Amino acid sequence: MGRVPSSSKVREMDVLHAIVQSYIESGVPVASRTISRRRRDSLSPASIRNVMADLCEAGYLSQPHTSAGRVPTEKAFRCYVQRLAKGRVLLAELERLKSELGLIETMEGRVECSSRMLTEMTHSVGIAAAIPTSSQILDQIELIGLTDQRVLMVVVTRDQTVRNRVVTLDEAIRQEELGSIRNYINRNFSGWSLSEIHVELQLRLEQANAAYDAILKKLTLLYSKGLLDIGLSPEVHLEGTSNLLGLDLHLTREKMRELFRTLEEKKKILQLLDRFLEQPAGEVAVQVGLSEASPNMRELSLIGVTVALPSGLSAKIAVLGPMRMNYERVISAVLHMGQAFQSLPA
């Protein structure tokens, strides 16, 4: 059996969480008298001062001025959010989000809508990303002949993501032949994952009879030019950076500009999500203080969840906000949005 925490330890954590909650609400150092009024129990202000002294010594609280109250440290915030990370799912809220997302057919649209709704729900920075993998499922392809021996290749996956590219061939292929190749791929491989298609196509094209089949000969030509090699480009959307302007992040004007430039780069946003959202799919991750990613993010926190989608995509739903944020509300928003996103049909 696990060791049961002592009553003094439980009392310390209760006082700590009350301090963090008070600081989130007020933004000013918290005095023992404030906690005594909040708790309304038998613990006197003197007893609370003793507990706060112990918490200071343990690194949970700091004292900005000799006569001031205490301020929670990053360690305190991390302890606080551990209680909240398993938030409850409210069916009415989940159905509302599912209904709104369900009106949108494309993955790009759902990503954009998710980040916008997160911003509206939390008044912070909403982030949503759909990251394709080789297990994406093919819906159909289209091949269209252009001038100068060029071909437009369009690939649609089951999540309604559409990708296209134009290639130049060494020899011309008539539109009739392109139609036959399109039909061959769609008839044989619609519903297969892209990785499975690559393996099977490679086997078929290597067989001796492929050299004598007119369609397979032309298909070999297109395959060598990257047919179905659509590139795994993530879809990322971020909304609400203006919500950071009113925060006291203790940054100079130039450092604030650097922060905004960072948030404009899709690659850096993905690196941030990959680095700090490492929990198993479906579990909310909370990173208090992001100084490891950038000194300019020292007073920011990231709350997010990774969800695996049946279409072969991995989605990341997250909120970036001040360390002094309403964690309960943000965790709830992220949890509900993640589940709504995951429940939608491909």
Side-chain angles (χ1 to χ4, degrees):
M1 291 179 62
R3 188 172 61 181
V4 178
S6 67
S7 58
S8 62
K9 186 67 175 175
V10 171
R11 182 175 61 198
E12 276 188 8
M13 291 300 100
D14 286 345
V15 169
L16 177 62
H17 293 160
I19 293 170
V20 174
Q21 188 65 46
S22 178
Y23 183 71
I24 287 172
E25 294 168 4
S26 69
V28 299
V30 181
S32 57
R33 186 177 287 104
T34 302
I35 301 305
S36 179
R37 285 198 297 264
R38 287 180 69 100
R39 288 176 57 86
R40 295 179 181 175
D41 59 14
S42 58
L43 210 57
S44 67
S47 298
I48 292 175
R49 278 196 295 274
N50 290 334
V51 172
M52 292 172 75
D54 291 339
L55 290 170
C56 275
E57 193 174 326
Y60 289 102
L61 302 176
S62 65
Q63 189 172 17
H65 307 290
T66 306
S67 58
R70 305 300 198 274
V71 173
T73 63
E74 287 185 27
K75 184 178 180 180
F77 276 104
R78 291 192 188 101
C79 178
Y80 172 76
V81 298
Q82 283 177 356
R83 277 192 177 181
L84 306 176
K86 295 187 181 295
R88 294 182 300 113
V89 173
L90 304 176
L91 291 179
E93 177 68 356
L94 182 59
E95 288 303 318
R96 181 184 75 83
L97 298 177
K98 285 168 60 177
S99 176
E100 190 157 347
L101 284 176
L103 297 174
I104 304 169
E105 293 185 355
T106 66
M107 184 57 62
E108 293 93 331
R110 290 175 182 176
V111 166
E112 183 174 347
C113 181
S114 296
S115 63
R116 176 179 53 77
M117 286 195 290
L118 282 171
T119 298
E120 292 172 355
M121 294 161 69
T122 66
H123 308 296
S124 293
V125 181
I127 305 171
I131 304 167
T133 69
S134 60
S135 59
Q136 272 191 283
I137 306 300
L138 177 69
D139 184 30
Q140 61 179 314
I141 70 163
E142 184 59 72
L143 301 171
I144 301 170
L146 305 174
T147 58
D148 301 325
Q149 298 182 183
R150 294 176 302 143
V151 174
L152 171 63
M153 303 190 296
V154 182
V155 178
V156 183
T157 47
R158 283 286 168 87
D159 53 33
Q160 296 307 301
T161 297
V162 180
R163 294 182 178 84
N164 58 75
R165 64 189 300 189
V166 175
V167 297
T168 301
L169 305 179
D170 298 328
E171 61 182 79
I173 300 182
R174 302 191 313 274
Q175 185 60 50
E176 178 185 341
E177 294 173 313
L178 291 174
S180 296
I181 295 171
R182 174 202 62 206
N183 294 339
Y184 178 86
I185 294 291
N186 291 340
R187 184 173 59 249
N188 285 276
F189 298 113
S190 179
W192 287 44
S193 73
L194 296 180
S195 57
E196 291 172 333
I197 296 173
H198 279 296
V199 171
E200 180 63 22
L201 263 182
Q202 195 69 40
L203 288 173
R204 294 191 186 191
L205 297 178
E206 287 174 355
Q207 291 173 358
N209 61 349
Y212 303 98
D213 189 303
I215 295 300
L216 289 182
K217 284 177 69 175
K218 300 294 185 181
L219 175 54
T220 301
L221 182 61
L222 282 172
Y223 188 73
S224 69
K225 292 293 183 178
L227 178 64
L228 298 175
D229 183 15
I230 59 176
L232 303 179
S233 177
E235 185 69 33
V236 184
H237 200 271
L238 180 146
E239 186 105 11
T241 51
S242 60
N243 289 325
L244 299 177
L245 288 173
L247 303 176
D248 184 9
L249 299 177
H250 300 99
L251 296 176
T252 63
R253 186 172 297 177
E254 179 56 34
K255 293 296 183 184
M256 197 70 176
R257 279 197 289 265
E258 286 180 16
L259 173 60
F260 274 78
R261 282 195 293 269
T262 297
L263 296 179
E264 289 173 357
E265 295 185 40
K266 182 169 76 171
K267 182 178 179 181
K268 290 187 177 179
I269 294 299
L270 287 170
Q271 289 173 345
L272 189 70
L273 298 178
D274 286 339
R275 183 169 185 174
F276 296 114
L277 303 187
E278 296 180 332
Q279 266 79 348
E283 288 187 19
V284 175
V286 181
Q287 178 65 30
V288 178
L290 300 171
S291 56
E292 292 178 35
S294 167
N296 298 331
M297 294 185 177
R298 181 173 58 87
E299 297 198 27
L300 294 176
S301 292
L302 183 73
I303 297 174
V305 66
T306 301
V307 293
L309 304 177
S311 58
L313 287 170
S314 169
K316 292 183 183 291
I317 306 295
V319 169
L320 179 72
M323 195 181 299
R324 192 174 68 83
M325 72 166 80
N326 187 327
Y327 287 92
E328 189 167 8
R329 180 174 65 191
V330 174
I331 288 172
S332 175
V334 167
L335 183 66
H336 284 82
M337 186 60 70
Q339 292 204 10
F341 209 100
Q342 187 174 28
S343 66
L344 294 173

